[in-house]
Amino acid sequence: MTIEQQIADLKLVPVIKITDPAHAAPLAEALIAAGLPVAEVTFRTDCAAEAIKIMSQYKDLLLGAGTVINAAQVEEAKNAGATFIISPGFSPEVSKACIAAGLIYFPGIASPRDIQDALADGWKTLKFFPAEALGGVNTLKAFAAPYPGVKFVPTGGINADNVGEYLALPQVQACGGSWMVPNKLMDAGDFSGITKIAKEALNKIK
Ligand code: 3PG
């Protein structure tokens, strides 16, 4: 099964900011225990690659790197064991690096021009970001209309209350978000709390 299909099956992609590598293993276990074995570990902290390396030991976990904004981070993410790359905006540099590295890229898009740039490089599943701030499902519908083959993973301002509206659209493969892995619980080391929230998120979309 392709990574795009796996993400479409899971329907949710937790966006993660790890500040302490010691959180990586218990977080992987918490997500697997919840039945949501997928993580986008963002390069917003210096220990992102280290965390990805630790989490890559969990073979059941679909593991990607997020907030990847240059080719060096693509290399770091690949070496650490990430199997897909996400960025907040479309980056020609990241796109080229992913093609060269054989990694799947989910580029962020915020305009028709971004969509066309992504399509020109062969990417057809795109992160609509920041979804809520850009007008939510109405904007997404308008973006999707001219590009029937394009699928979206909206992220940004999505939560348990509005995730259903997005997933109801046929073009939406999955939704990303940080609400499933709250920083507060991570900082407190409350991994059973994270399992609970991730399970609740899954129940909400059943
Ligand atoms: C991302 O990079 O995908 C976003 O920062 C996640 O957005 P959220 O925190 O609003 O879910």
Side-chain angles (χ1 to χ4, degrees):
M1 206 195 291
T2 65
I3 287 177
E4 289 94 333
Q5 280 165 340
Q6 289 179 62
I7 285 180
D9 283 352
L10 289 161
K11 298 225 177 312
L12 296 174
V13 180
V15 175
I16 291 154
K17 182 176 154 197
I18 291 204
T19 52
D20 181 350
H23 292 158
L27 176 64
E29 285 165 21
L31 291 171
I32 291 167
L36 185 59
V38 54
E40 173 191 342
V41 178
T42 58
F43 271 73
R44 292 179 199 179
T45 57
D46 292 341
C47 64
E50 190 181 349
I52 290 170
K53 194 164 187 183
I54 295 165
M55 293 170 83
S56 72
Q57 303 309 310
Y58 294 84
K59 297 299 170 206
D60 293 341
L61 189 71
L62 184 61
L63 184 59
T67 324
V68 172
I69 58 172
N70 57 48
Q73 289 174 335
V74 173
E75 200 56 32
E76 259 192 275
K78 183 180 182 179
N79 291 339
T83 58
F84 62 92
I85 299 291
I86 303 184
S87 58
F90 175 75
S91 159
E93 177 183 334
V94 170
S95 178
K96 266 197 207 77
C98 287
I99 292 165
L103 292 176
I104 301 293
Y105 181 36
F106 299 95
I109 62 92
S111 69
R113 187 196 165 151
D114 292 344
I115 295 173
Q116 289 173 199
D117 284 346
L119 281 175
D121 274 6
W123 309 113
K124 294 197 181 77
T125 303
L126 314 177
K127 167 172 169 154
F128 170 49
F129 178 80
E132 279 292 292
L134 289 176
V137 290
N138 284 338
T139 304
L140 182 46
K141 279 187 204 162
F143 279 2
Y147 310 106
V150 175
K151 300 288 182 196
F152 295 92
V153 180
T155 309
I158 299 181
N159 54 48
D161 294 328
N162 60 13
V163 65
E165 293 169 34
Y166 286 93
L167 289 174
L169 299 183
Q171 303 89 343
V172 170
Q173 297 285 84
C175 286
S178 60
W179 93 92
M180 293 167 264
V181 182
N183 289 336
K184 220 168 91 185
L185 295 188
M186 286 265 274
D187 292 344
D190 183 359
F191 295 99
S192 56
I194 289 174
T195 296
K196 191 165 164 263
I197 289 185
K199 268 190 188 159
E200 280 167 10
L202 282 171
N203 284 334
K204 196 88 193 182
I205 61 159
K206 266 186 188 158

